[in-house]
Amino acid sequence: MPERLCLREVGFTMRNVRTRMPFRYGVATLTSVPILHVRAEVELAGGSRAEGLSADILPPKWFDKDPAKSYEENVDDLLFSARQAARAFAEASREPRPVFDIWRDGYAESLRAGDRRGLDHLTASHGSTLMERALIDAVGQARGRSYHQLLTDPANPLGLDLGAILPVLAGTPPPAAVAPRPSESIAVRHTVGLADPIRDDDVPAGEALDDGLPQSLEAYVAAQGLRWLKVKVGGDLEADLERLTAIARLLDEGPGAGRYAVSLDGNEQYTELDGFAALLARLERDLPAFHDAIAYVEQPLERSVALDEEQAAGIAAVSARKPMIIDESDGDLDSFERAVEIGYRGVSTKNCKGLFKALANAALARRLSGERGVPFLITAEDLMNLPVVPLHQDLAHVAALGLDHAERNGHHYVRGLDHLSPPERERVLGEHEGLYRRSGESGFLHVAEGAIDVRSLQRCPGLGAGSAFDPGAMVPLEDWRFESLR
């Protein structure tokens, strides 16, 4: 039987984090960012109570890339979405109901509220994804079950109905969306941002961090044995080729030469695909080994045209060369289904886009792969997920899907666990010894042979955050000000 519950209380807290180096993606360059934490207290149908958590960074120019909006306006919109979702989920759970039923109503009302404010659906639904995760976590805490166990339990404790998300999945049981066993190890697909130095010599004089961590891609490859990369491109053919040539030359050196794979991230830098197709053609001609290593291409088209049927010929042509997936265009429940019909071959999963939607997409991808005889992809992409709550919940979801590699970049742009309070650091290092390595009074994600050990997440009920959450070390949302980021 699904667990039935009411949402009784929601608390929001903020924690500011500064990057150790700028993170440039698309038109944005990130140097500081807040993490919004959600703590949801629920009352179960039997009268007992449980608490669930969720959290995300609030970055500029990803959810909404409107150039007329400032970073402060982006954050204001995301906070509106979170507050609105808390109200909508509370209203949807005035009587005890399964999490999935609460989510359906809360999600729909969140979109309506966003429409009234003029928000795109990625922004409007973000608060709903936070509430969704917090309620899933609460059920896991109440039942002492991990996320994967909740999804494979014949009792369906979350009440998940995949057919209610995508009608084509009617009758598909929740276990069809996940792997029989969660992944124990996940390869790090290391982000190479547009401003990141490739060689040690590329670090500008006076900008060497000297903080004990790698800075250039060259140093990361040597220190962590990386075998997967996510490389961002900027839409300038010659500049991109120059940079990709430098990356390819680095990867073709040393003992790991030729044993790497790449995803190419267009970050919505194109309004048509002729320019991107020209880039792929030049790579095939001039850098054949690098071209062959590209596993798939992520969202080169700007979202306003990415799902336009007039783009179908170009999408099909690129996907015939390299599978192309949507990321930022995955704003609605049926976005992946519509994307498939015009030639796309996959979709990213990010917790900030929603877990239930991602599970339906994963089930659809498995079905399509079987029916059409070519692989349809669910890929794990990061938006600088940071310890503890955002990173652990993302990894728990990726592991449940059975994925064996994922973009990971928070440990590159932010210095380990330094942003946590000392008690939080001690708890996370104690509970997740294999996932982190201790260093003095802090700790860092432990990447060995290019991969991380995620088995400890399965020992935690819910979505894997464990007990390393201290709201007293954060700022209540009502007291937080955007100016504090400066």
Side-chain angles (χ1 to χ4, degrees):
M1 288 283 293
E3 189 73 66
R4 293 161 52 244
L5 56 86
C6 299
L7 176 61
R8 293 304 189 199
E9 184 178 343
V10 179
F12 294 112
T13 52
M14 296 282 262
R15 166 179 270 146
N16 290 348
V17 181
R18 291 199 63 82
T19 63
R20 58 185 285 262
M21 66 179 76
F23 178 21
R24 183 182 164 205
Y25 55 97
V27 300
T29 300
L30 187 65
T31 57
S32 62
V33 68
I35 310 176
L36 173 63
H37 289 78
V38 178
R39 181 176 52 83
E41 185 177 348
V42 304
E43 182 178 350
L44 307 178
S48 61
R49 296 217 171 196
E51 185 176 281
L53 302 174
S54 65
D56 273 330
I57 70 165
L58 305 182
K61 296 294 180 287
W62 188 83
F63 291 93
D64 186 340
K65 293 187 178 178
D66 181 351
K69 285 191 174 183
S70 68
Y71 184 13
E72 184 171 2
E73 289 172 317
N74 289 156
V75 170
D76 284 345
D77 286 342
L78 291 167
L79 293 178
F80 167 84
S81 175
R83 292 184 176 110
Q84 175 59 41
R87 290 191 291 269
F89 275 61
E91 179 63 26
S93 64
R94 295 179 69 179
E95 299 295 329
R97 302 174 71 195
V99 170
F100 183 77
D101 292 348
I102 297 169
W103 167 78
R104 286 184 72 189
D105 289 350
Y107 171 82
E109 177 54 33
S110 295
L111 290 189
R112 285 191 289 268
D115 288 343
R116 291 191 292 269
R117 189 177 167 105
L119 302 179
D120 67 89
H121 281 186
L122 275 180
T123 305
S125 65
H126 180 243
S128 173
T129 75
L130 286 166
M131 296 308 305
E132 169 194 37
R133 278 173 271 161
L135 295 190
I136 291 171
D137 189 50
V139 172
Q141 299 293 333
R143 293 208 173 186
R145 309 283 281 174
S146 71
Y147 177 59
H148 185 268
Q149 289 170 335
L150 291 176
L151 293 170
T152 54
D153 187 335
N156 191 12
L158 299 175
L160 174 58
D161 180 357
L162 294 171
I165 302 174
L166 295 175
V168 71
L169 297 175
T172 303
V178 297
R181 293 178 56 84
S183 303
E184 295 185 348
S185 175
I186 295 174
V188 168
R189 188 155 26 86
H190 179 84
T191 303
V192 188
L194 292 171
D196 290 358
I198 307 305
R199 299 276 185 173
D200 292 342
D201 291 344
D202 295 331
V203 178
E207 294 184 19
L209 296 176
D210 194 26
D211 61 358
L213 298 178
Q215 186 169 357
S216 69
L217 176 60
E218 180 181 18
Y220 268 103
V221 169
Q224 298 184 345
L226 300 174
R227 55 183 186 271
W228 271 97
L229 300 180
K230 172 169 175 165
V231 181
K232 294 183 177 287
V233 293
D236 180 322
L237 177 62
E238 295 304 325
D240 284 335
L241 282 170
E242 181 179 357
R243 184 165 160 276
L244 295 177
T245 298
I247 293 170
R249 286 174 177 166
L250 170 65
L251 297 176
D252 284 335
E253 297 174 357
R259 297 196 302 272
Y260 62 88
V262 173
S263 67
L264 213 57
D265 185 5
N267 260 128
E268 300 187 84
Q269 296 300 297
Y270 299 81
T271 57
E272 47 76 32
L273 283 171
D274 288 348
F276 189 79
L279 174 64
L280 288 179
R282 289 282 298 275
L283 289 174
E284 185 173 27
R285 188 191 74 185
D286 300 340
L287 299 170
F290 185 86
H291 176 270
D292 290 348
I294 298 173
Y296 61 90
V297 170
E298 182 184 346
Q299 185 96 28
L301 284 171
E302 199 274 326
R303 74 187 71 176
S304 68
V305 299
L307 298 183
D308 191 331
E309 291 183 359
E310 293 185 0
Q311 299 279 356
I315 292 167
V318 171
S319 280
R321 181 191 290 267
K322 295 292 180 183
M324 191 158 67
I325 73 164
I326 60 168
D327 180 27
E328 292 94 336
S329 288
D330 183 27
D332 293 299
L333 298 181
D334 66 345
S335 294
F336 176 42
E337 188 175 29
R338 289 187 287 121
V340 165
E341 296 310 310
I342 56 173
Y344 286 95
R345 289 269 302 282
V347 61
S348 68
T349 176
K350 288 179 175 173
N351 282 8
C352 62
K353 297 195 298 180
L355 299 190
F356 288 144
K357 177 170 71 172
L359 292 168
N361 285 342
L364 179 60
R366 287 186 170 90
R367 173 176 291 191
L368 291 170
S369 297
E371 291 175 351
R372 303 194 183 187
V374 294
F376 284 79
L377 310 177
I378 295 292
T379 73
E381 310 301 329
D382 198 353
L383 191 62
M384 211 176 79
N385 282 318
L386 300 176
V388 174
V389 180
L391 176 63
H392 288 206
Q393 294 192 337
D394 181 76
L395 288 173
H397 174 66
V398 170
L401 292 176
L403 302 182
D404 59 5
H405 63 88
E407 179 196 9
R408 287 277 77 87
N409 54 27
H411 65 286
H412 173 40
Y413 295 110
V414 171
R415 194 175 189 279
L417 304 178
D418 285 10
H419 60 283
L420 303 181
S421 67
E424 287 173 313
R425 290 179 209 153
E426 283 304 311
R427 285 196 291 271
V428 74
L429 289 168
E431 293 173 2
H432 301 279
E433 185 176 355
L435 185 57
Y436 296 95
R437 60 177 177 85
R438 185 182 292 272
S439 177
E441 296 181 353
S442 190
F444 302 92
L445 198 68
H446 181 53
V447 184
E449 300 299 320
I452 52 177
D453 180 348
V454 296
R455 289 176 294 178
S456 63
L457 300 176
Q458 303 306 318
R459 297 194 291 269
C460 293
L463 275 165
S467 64
F469 174 74
D470 180 8
M474 305 177 201
V475 177
L477 178 56
E478 59 268 24
D479 296 333
W480 182 83
R481 299 292 179 269
F482 181 83
E483 292 74 21
S484 63
L485 289 173
R486 303 190 181 104

